[in-house]
Each structure stands twice: as structure tokens, then as C-alpha cells.
Amino acid sequence: MSKLTEVVGGVRAVFMTGRTKPIEWRRQQLNALLKFLEEQRTSLVKVLYEDLKKPESEAMAFELDFTRNDLVDIMNHLSDWMKPEKVKKPFALMLDDAYIMREPYGVALIIGTWNYPLQLMLSPMAGALAAGNCVILKPSEVAPKTAQFLEETLPKYLDKDCIKVINGGVPETTELLKERFDYIFYTGSSGVGKIIYEAAAKNLTPVTLELGGKSPAFVDNTCDLTVVANRLVWGKFSNAGQTCIAPDYVLCTPDIKDTLLEVCGKTILKFYGDDPINSDSYARIINRRHFDRLKALMSSGQVKFGGKTDEASNYIEPTIVVDVNPTDKIMQEEIFGPILPVITVKDVDEAISFINGKEKPLSLYVFSKNKKVVDKILSSTSSGGVTVNDTLMHITLSSLPFGGVGYSGIGSYHGKFSFDTFSHSRGCLFRSLAGEKLNELRYPPYTEKKLSLLTWMMKTSLKSNRFFLATLPLVIIGILLGYLATVFNIGAFSPKFHN
């Protein structure tokens, strides 16, 4: 038996005892995670800087505060989410209890990535713990300082028997995927996502795959381009462009191209200064391999702004390129760095065709004051999420699902969507042992009379303008049956639920 098999087996054995199911345990772990974020803020900012040279403001806003807010939202609503959800019943089952019960899957594997190594690890974990699962965390080895800190510090706060942090590279991840899990949550590239999906399929394990893609931004001539530039530059160059939902390229019409390029250039200077290598507000590329990959992409098209690099510090200046061909390598893969192609299209229809000529993106951005243009783009394209007249901001709402579609991912999370993702929805029907005479309609020997009555009782009608009048007799019968059930104590054996 390998060490990983022993670890996973031990965690599963604890889950089978039922320790993680009570709300008290779930709240205890979520409170401990909140305490970890609050007590270790300074240390977490430090390791994020060591891995990515991530500015403190970005570390706080994008990593710590984002994760904290998502966590608090889950904590505030957990008791309501755990309650059985009553569902509608047909006339024949009026006296019975029907509900959906959310139960934990079991042992969840969460594989994180390096660009937001804290948020993309702990935010899904909060949902998994809220749903009552045990968790195996696999941080990305590409952000080694953060991974090491999580391994050393997180167990001091959480239930060590139910939550494990396993570090390592590709060999360790490969071995982990040979184990049987009850749920796998992965954030990263589409290429690795396919490997995860294939491994999960061997055990029919459900998955969430948070991937990426080429997220487009369309800008039309109805906008204040200075405002557009502020929001585009911020969304693209935060974390040095290493954000899965960053605008990957911009589509605009020829009449605004030169002005848009000019204001974007001015905005970069305003945000990062004349030489961004000296800016405290600008991060670095994660490592040499990604630096080399991005530097090679800059050979596509013509550099209109930026373009400077420093190999020693993995620095690539915020860069805008033009005259890019759709067949260029920069347009064939997710850029995932501080290089922004600006491409002209003759109108919104050509923009839609351009977007639809590629895989479905994780995010889509539309800058326009024209509601018809916005509606046309949204109705004619598909993406994981959308923000109109800004970038990135849809991810900040825990009331919205965050996830991809097609090549950009499977499933979603944040807020209640995280809880639902890590919960199995179990359909439950509790029947009374009374009223057996009515049930005889479905028992053999079958007759036309029985079938006719049974069909009438079970039939579902289409809604219409006369829906209320059509269903009024059933409502009256239901009220009468409910009264009789109360008088004769029918349904006394229905289960009661408490938090």
C-alpha cells in the first residue's frame, strides 16, 4: 500500500464515521478557516509576493478578502442551505412528505493552480467543508512558497483527520489521481483538465473543471473610451495578466481603434509609471518557462505599446499588439500574460462571428451603451460568464455562478453554488401507511376504471390563463384532505428535521 493510498483511505474511514455531517463540525471548520485567513494575513501576503511578486493590494483584494467574503457568505447561509427543500407533489401524494436532502459526496480532491494559489485553493474548499465533505488539498507546485505555507500552517487550524494537504509535482498528482475520490475539483488548463476528466471517468467520479480560454472584449463607438481603457487595462494587467478571466484580446471597429490604443497607452502610464519594472503595483511572470512562452508570443503582429522584458526577474512590460492574424500563435492559445492584441472588425456581426469561431470562453466582456448591441452579442454567443461595461467584476458576486462552458470548464461555484457543487441532491419521499384504499388503484388486477382514476389523479396540466380555475377543485380537495389528515393524525410517521 502506497503512502497516498494510506492517506486517502484514512480520510475515507473518518468520513464513514459520520463526523463531518453535523452542522456543528461544518461551522467549526469554516470558523477555523476564517481564523486562519485573519491571523495569517501578513504571512500570506509575504508568500504570495515571493511566488509572484504580487502587490499587497492585489494579494489582499484578489486573494485574502475575496476568499474571506465568499467564506462568510457561506457561513451566513449554511443552516438554511442544509434544510430539506420541500417540493411540489401531485394530488395522489398530497398526504406525503417529498423533499430534496443535500448530503456530502465523501472525500473531495481539490487541485489548485498557481496564479491565485490561495483563493483558488481555499474558496472551493470552503464549499466542500460546508457541504460536509472530507478534503484532500493539492496546491500547485509552481507557486512553491504558498504551497509550503499551506501544508505547514493550515493543519494547525483544521481537523487533521478529515483535511489533508499534499504537496508535490506531476508524479504526486498522477499518483493521487489513481486513488478513488468521491468528487474532484480542478482549476487549471484545458489540457490538464482532460487528463483529470479521464482519470475521474475510471471511477465515474463527478468533477468540476475550472479551465480558461480566450476571453474576448468587444468595444463599440458609444462608449467613453477613457473609462473603457481604465477598466480594460486594470482587468488585463492585474497580476501581470495571469488571470483566467482576464480579457485575452479586444475587438473594436476601425473608427475607434487609434483613439482606444492611445487612451490605453496613457492609462498604462498612469497606472504603472514610465517604467513599470519599478512599479510596486505590477507583478511578475511566475517562472522562466512561462516568461519564455510569453516572450515568443510577442513575435505575433506589431508591438504598439510596451514590449520590454527582463529575463532575470521574469518581467514583461504591459504590452499592446496590433496587426495580429487569426492564425498567429498568439490567437491560437490562451495568452495568460500581459500581452493584449487589439483587432479590428467592421461591425458587431463580424465580432460575433470572430468570437464564435473559437472555443467558448470563460468570460465575455462587452463595452457599449447600446442595449440592442449588448443583447445581440449575449444572445448570439456563449461563455462561462459576462460582464458588460467592465472586466472581471462578475466574479465578485457570490450570488452568481462562476464557471466555464465547453472547453472553458464544467460546473460552477461561489456562494451557494459551491455548497451545491459539493453536495449530492438526494430525492426523498416519505409515505404514510394510511390511505391504502387509494393505493389499490395501482395494484393488480388492472382494470380500465382503475387506470382512468389513476390517470386523472396523476395527470399534470399545462398552465393557462384559466390555470387557477382549472386547479381550484384540486386545491379544495387538498385542503379537505389536509384537514382530515390533521384530525386522524395521518402522516404521524413523517420524519422531523432539526439543525
Side-chain angles (χ1 to χ4, degrees), residues 70-101:
D70 197 32
L71 173 60
V72 169
D73 181 66
I74 290 172
M75 295 170 69
N76 286 341
H77 298 95
L78 181 58
S79 60
D80 290 333
W81 297 344
M82 286 181 64
K83 292 176 182 176
E85 179 186 342
K86 295 285 186 177
V87 297
K88 292 180 180 179
K89 300 171 289 187
F91 170 70
L93 301 177
M94 278 290 184
L95 300 181
D96 303 316
D97 279 341
Y99 58 89
I100 299 169
M101 185 172 126

Side-chain angles (χ1 to χ4, degrees), residues 332-352:
Q332 297 300 310
E333 63 180 62
E334 183 179 7
I335 296 171
F336 217 70
I339 309 167
L340 182 64
V342 176
I343 301 167
T344 54
V345 289
K346 66 180 181 181
D347 53 27
V348 66
D349 291 319
E350 186 176 347
I352 290 170

Side-chain angles (χ1 to χ4, degrees), residues 218-289:
F218 173 75
V219 184
D220 76 3
N221 59 8
T222 65
C223 301
D224 181 334
L225 293 183
T226 300
V227 174
V228 173
N230 285 337
R231 300 180 183 187
L232 268 178
V233 168
W234 172 76
K236 176 61 179 181
F237 299 113
S238 292
N239 202 37
Q242 298 164 117
T243 303
C244 59
I245 57 170
D248 191 88
Y249 60 93
V250 174
L251 299 174
C252 67
T253 49
D255 56 318
I256 64 169
K257 177 186 175 183
D258 290 341
T259 305
L260 181 61
L261 289 169
E262 180 183 354
V263 292
C264 282
K266 289 180 179 179
T267 301
I268 291 172
L269 292 174
K270 179 174 66 175
F271 284 6
Y272 304 112
D274 293 335
D275 197 353
I277 196 170
N278 298 317
S279 172
D280 293 334
S281 300
Y282 190 64
R284 295 294 183 269
I285 305 307
I286 184 68
N287 58 27
R288 177 66 182 275
R289 181 171 68 87

Side-chain angles (χ1 to χ4, degrees), residues 214 248-252 257 261 296-305 319-333 335 339-345 350 354 358:
K214 298 188 73 63
D248 191 88
Y249 60 93
V250 174
L251 299 174
C252 67
K257 177 186 175 183
L261 289 169
L297 291 181
M298 284 197 291
S299 62
S300 300
Q302 175 188 347
V303 173
K304 188 69 176 179
F305 188 96
T319 300
I320 299 174
V321 297
V322 295
D323 300 332
V324 172
N325 293 315
T327 55
D328 288 344
K329 191 173 182 181
I330 198 170
M331 295 306 296
Q332 297 300 310
E333 63 180 62
I335 296 171
I339 309 167
L340 182 64
V342 176
I343 301 167
T344 54
V345 289
E350 186 176 347
F354 193 98
K358 299 185 177 298

Side-chain angles (χ1 to χ4, degrees), residues 69 179 209 217 230 277 369 438 454 470:
N69 291 341
E179 302 298 325
L209 302 177
N230 285 337
I277 196 170
K369 291 182 180 179
L438 194 62
L454 189 63

